[in-house]
């Protein structure tokens, strides 16, 4: 039995069904002059309810442990394996073993149900992260850009599709900011509160301010992002974030026999585990605010997407 093929066929089938149904509902709503936010929230509510029903059914059937094992597959196998390899190994090994201990039968049907759930969750989370993108599609009837998938390695704000739609909808304001709360550097203030982050720049040079503002663990998160997601972003933002990362006195990586003995390396290698689970969300939120305050909108968007992906893998 080709477990991976069974999984992928069902995954793509579910994805296509949701995509087509969503387009159909959005077009109907547009013809009826419905407000996008109301339609959008209704669609997400439906996806959430379907997902919850499937989780409840797995629990009712006694297969909850199998789902937990499958969702934890990325922590079970080596990081450099392809996504499909990890899926196949998980279905062949620990998930199948657990399924069989539960006296389960029809493993093929079970894989199809798991795949449907994962496809549903993926597209649900995608819509959550891309609301502004789909609002433009809705307003402009640009369904040729309705991909129903995340852009690879870039935020949707960096995509040619998004930029084209923004330019069409706001031809006179294309280069204006897109609504982020960014501190105006021309304002001479000693201390500013944005969100929950206290930024104190009194009497400090830009270099010293950056050194004091970002913690080592925040720099470790940015290094994590640099490794996985900083492709095709603005050169300006890449240079800025490199300077933020570099504003540290952690140079022992040049001196130790093994890079893995470096404290900064160890922190960066942990990824989001660098923060305790109970404080993780607030810490990432604070980092996001700091990035926006320094005009790093694309980096902040990548952080948001990558962190969401991290949470979905749990």
């Amino acid at each position: 039995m080709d477990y991976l093929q069974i999984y992928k066929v069902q995954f793509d089938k579910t994805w296509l069904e949701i995509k087509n149904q969503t387009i159909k509902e959005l077009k109907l709503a547009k013809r009826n002059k419905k407000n996008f936010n109301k339609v959008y929230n209704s669609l997400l509510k439906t996806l959430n309810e379907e997902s919850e029903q499937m989780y409840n059914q797995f629990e009712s059937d006694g297969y909850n442990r199998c789902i937990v094992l499958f969702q934890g597959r990325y922590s079970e196998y080596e990081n450099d394996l392809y996504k499909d390899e990890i899926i196949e190994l998980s279905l062949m090994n620990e998930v199948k073993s657990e399924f069989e201990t539960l006296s389960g039968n029809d493993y093929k049907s079970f894989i199809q149900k798991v795949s449907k759930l994962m496809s549903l969750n993926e597209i649900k989370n995608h819509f959550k992260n891309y609301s502004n993108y789909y609002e433009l599609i809705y307003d402009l009837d640009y369904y040729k850009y309705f991909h129903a998938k995340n852009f690879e390695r870039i935020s949707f704000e960096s995509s040619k599709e998004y930029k084209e739609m923004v330019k069409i909808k706001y031809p006179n304001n294309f280069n204006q900011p897109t609504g982020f709360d960014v501190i105006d550097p021309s304002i001479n203030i000693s201390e500013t509160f944005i969100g929950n982050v206290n930024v104190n720049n009194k009497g400090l040079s830009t270099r010293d301010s950056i050194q004091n503002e970002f913690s080592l663990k925040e720099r470790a998160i940015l290094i994590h992002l640099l490794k996985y997601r900083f492709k095709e972003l603005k050169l300006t933002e890449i240079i800025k974030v490199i300077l933020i990362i570099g504003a540290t006195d952690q140079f022992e990586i040049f001196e130790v026999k093994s890079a893995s003995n470096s404290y900064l390396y160890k922190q960066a290698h942990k990824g989001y585990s660098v923060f305790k689970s109970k404080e993780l969300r607030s810490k990432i939120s604070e980092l996001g605010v700091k990035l926006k305050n320094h005009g790093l909108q694309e980096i902040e968007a990548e952080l948001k997407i990558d962190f969401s992906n991290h949470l979905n893998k749990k």
Side-chain angles (χ1 to χ4, degrees):
M1 187 183 298
D2 191 336
Y3 301 136
L4 180 61
Q5 182 65 16
I6 295 169
Y7 181 92
K8 293 181 70 174
V9 168
Q10 182 61 55
F11 190 98
D12 292 341
K13 179 183 177 182
T14 302
W15 169 82
L16 187 60
E17 287 173 351
I18 296 173
K19 175 185 175 182
N20 290 339
Q21 181 62 27
T22 303
I23 291 174
K24 181 180 178 181
E25 292 186 35
L26 288 175
K27 285 183 175 180
L28 177 61
K30 179 71 172 177
R31 286 197 298 270
N32 292 328
K33 303 184 185 303
K34 298 288 187 178
N35 176 275
F36 170 78
N37 287 330
K38 188 169 183 179
V39 179
Y40 171 78
N41 289 331
S42 176
L43 288 169
L44 277 183
K45 183 173 181 289
T46 298
L47 292 173
N48 277 322
E49 288 173 349
E50 289 182 18
S51 176
E52 186 174 348
Q53 287 173 3
M54 292 197 70
Y55 276 117
N56 290 339
Q57 188 60 54
F58 277 119
E59 186 171 4
S60 176
D61 293 341
Y63 296 129
N64 189 53
R65 174 62 180 163
C66 294
I67 300 300
V68 171
L69 287 171
F70 186 72
Q71 290 182 315
R73 62 193 179 279
Y74 292 105
S75 61
E76 186 73 25
Y77 294 97
E78 296 176 356
N79 293 332
D80 57 351
L81 294 176
Y82 289 111
K83 179 180 177 180
D84 283 355
E85 289 183 272
I86 293 176
I87 291 172
E88 185 172 32
L89 286 168
S90 183
L91 292 174
M92 286 174 57
N93 299 316
E94 57 273 8
V95 176
K96 183 182 179 183
S97 177
E98 179 67 19
F99 182 83
E100 290 175 344
T101 62
L102 298 170
S103 301
N105 50 35
D106 197 358
Y107 191 47
K108 177 181 177 180
S109 177
F110 173 78
I111 292 174
Q112 289 172 329
K113 291 176 183 177
V114 172
S115 179
K116 182 176 181 179
L117 174 62
M118 295 302 113
S119 184
L120 177 63
N121 284 344
E122 186 169 305
I123 200 166
K124 176 187 68 175
N125 291 316
H126 164 75
F127 283 137
K128 279 184 180 179
N129 293 327
Y130 277 55
S131 61
N132 291 340
Y133 179 87
Y134 287 105
E135 184 173 10
L136 283 172
I137 289 177
Y138 183 79
D139 289 343
L140 300 172
D141 286 322
Y142 255 50
Y143 289 94
K144 64 180 181 179
Y145 289 158
F146 196 102
H147 304 315
K149 289 182 179 179
N150 291 351
F151 288 104
E152 288 290 334
R153 299 180 180 274
I154 61 171
S155 65
F156 70 79
E157 292 98 335
S158 302
S159 68
K160 64 178 180 60
E161 291 94 334
Y162 180 77
K163 291 176 181 177
E164 180 183 332
M165 289 189 291
V166 170
K167 192 171 184 178
I168 292 170
K169 186 170 182 180
Y170 307 106
N172 298 322
N173 301 303
F174 183 55
N175 292 320
Q176 291 186 6
T178 56
F180 291 102
D181 295 326
V182 181
I183 295 177
D184 184 345
S186 66
I187 299 176
N188 186 18
I189 52 178
S190 61
E191 188 169 284
T192 303
F193 291 88
I194 303 293
N196 296 318
V197 180
N198 181 346
V199 182
N200 189 343
N201 295 317
K202 186 174 181 180
L204 295 178
S205 66
T206 300
R207 180 190 180 108
D208 291 337
S209 177
I210 293 295
Q211 284 180 324
N212 292 339
E213 184 177 345
F214 291 84
S215 70
L216 183 65
K217 290 185 177 181
E218 287 174 334
R219 291 186 174 97
I221 292 293
L222 292 176
I223 293 171
H224 166 80
L225 283 178
L226 185 64
K227 180 179 179 182
Y228 293 106
R229 299 197 64 87
F230 286 7
K231 183 180 180 182
E232 300 178 8
L233 297 185
K234 289 180 182 177
L235 181 59
T236 303
E237 294 203 15
I238 292 176
I239 292 173
K240 282 184 178 181
V241 82
I242 288 174
L243 290 173
I244 290 171
I245 293 170
T248 173
D249 59 357
Q250 296 290 322
F251 283 89
E252 82 281 350
I253 194 169
F254 290 95
E255 302 165 359
V256 294
K257 182 175 291 186
S258 171
S260 60
N261 292 328
S262 160
Y263 180 72
L264 182 56
Y265 178 95
K266 290 177 180 177
Q267 297 301 299
H269 186 68
K270 291 178 181 178
Y272 294 107
S273 298
V274 72
F275 292 117
K276 295 178 180 178
S277 58
K278 63 181 180 181
E279 66 178 3
L280 179 57
R281 288 179 182 272
S282 63
K283 291 293 185 182
I284 297 301
S285 177
E286 289 176 8
L287 175 57
V289 172
K290 290 181 182 180
L291 293 172
K292 287 192 289 186
N293 288 346
H294 288 287
L296 294 166
Q297 289 95 330
E298 291 188 2
I299 305 299
E300 191 271 344
E302 291 299 333
L303 173 65
K304 189 180 296 182
I305 293 171
D306 192 66
F307 183 55
S308 176
N309 291 339
H310 165 76
L311 293 177
N312 292 335
K313 291 177 182 177
K314 288 193 169 186

